[in-house]
Amino acid sequence: NGKGAWKKRTEVPAEWEVIYKDSKLLSKLTNFKHNGIFPEQAPNWSWSVEQISKMQEPQVLNLFGYTGAASVIAAKAGAHVTHVDSSKASITWCKENAVRSGLSEDAIRLINEDARSFAKREARRGASYNGIILDPPAFGRGSKDEVWKIEEDLLPLMGTLAELLSLQPGSFFLLN
């Protein structure tokens, strides 16, 4: 039926490396018609790096972090990154991208959890981040099968994230 399958006109390698500045990112065809990288996000990556470069000890939260391109790039720029995604496969992929890019094992804090649950817990703990990167799907499921619908869930999440964003000059919030 072709649903969920790639139609290849020429043979494509099982995986390949994409280099963005000093980051090395794994790309491969998935069964849901993605390749693990959204290159149209490059201007956002550059902007984030610019913001991070103005801070001392920046703490960045990347929710719905997927395969970690934004997390790796932020960590390479000197940020302490917390990467959250409900998919174990995405967490593993992010970890591999970090290793490929020469980051230490502890450069990115990897959290396999529903983004809303994590954000609420961080707000209760009084956590604070200088930068928040948010690239939510229109629809998705959390690590415990929680349903995410952007039209219902984005605004409540934004309220929680307002509690997490530092008021320090230079702090940033990036929503895709």
Side-chain angles (χ1 to χ4, degrees):
N1 68 10
K3 186 175 182 179
W6 287 85
K7 291 185 181 181
K8 299 181 240 173
R9 294 179 188 207
T10 59
E11 194 54 40
V12 176
E15 59 182 54
W16 61 97
E17 194 168 76
V18 174
I19 298 173
Y20 177 79
K21 301 193 180 196
D22 61 348
S23 298
K24 296 177 181 179
L25 308 169
L26 173 65
S27 187
K28 58 185 173 184
L29 303 181
T30 68
N31 60 1
F32 48 94
K33 295 190 175 181
H34 286 189
N35 66 6
I37 300 170
F38 296 104
E40 67 274 14
Q41 296 300 321
N44 292 330
W45 301 335
S46 294
W47 182 82
S48 297
V49 166
E50 185 179 323
Q51 304 316 303
I52 290 165
S53 72
K54 299 173 188 175
M55 298 180 207
Q56 290 185 3
E57 304 274 335
Q59 301 287 327
V60 173
L61 174 62
N62 185 10
L63 293 178
F64 306 98
Y66 191 42
T67 62
S71 294
V72 167
I73 292 164
K76 294 285 286 183
H80 302 281
V81 178
T82 299
H83 173 99
V84 181
D85 199 281
S86 65
S87 162
K88 285 182 183 179
S90 290
I91 294 293
T92 300
W93 200 332
C94 178
K95 190 176 202 173
E96 184 168 349
N97 283 332
V99 169
R100 284 174 180 264
S101 295
L103 291 168
S104 66
E105 195 170 300
D106 62 348
I108 299 173
R109 179 178 166 215
L110 298 165
I111 308 290
N112 179 216
E113 188 175 348
D114 174 72
R116 291 167 300 184
S117 300
F118 179 80
K120 286 177 186 175
R121 190 172 63 255
E122 287 288 270
R124 284 191 304 272
R125 289 180 49 228
S128 180
Y129 294 90
N130 308 95
I132 297 176
I133 300 170
L134 182 65
D135 190 6
F139 177 84
R141 293 203 179 266
S143 58
K144 296 179 181 160
D145 215 28
E146 306 93 335
V147 174
W148 166 268
K149 293 182 182 177
I150 198 165
E151 64 274 10
E152 296 173 11
D153 298 316
L154 182 59
L155 285 178
L157 177 59
M158 296 287 282
T160 304
L161 295 178
E163 297 176 45
L164 295 177
L165 185 62
S166 167
L167 297 178
Q168 175 184 333
S171 292
F172 68 92
F173 186 91
L174 177 60
L175 170 63
N176 292 315

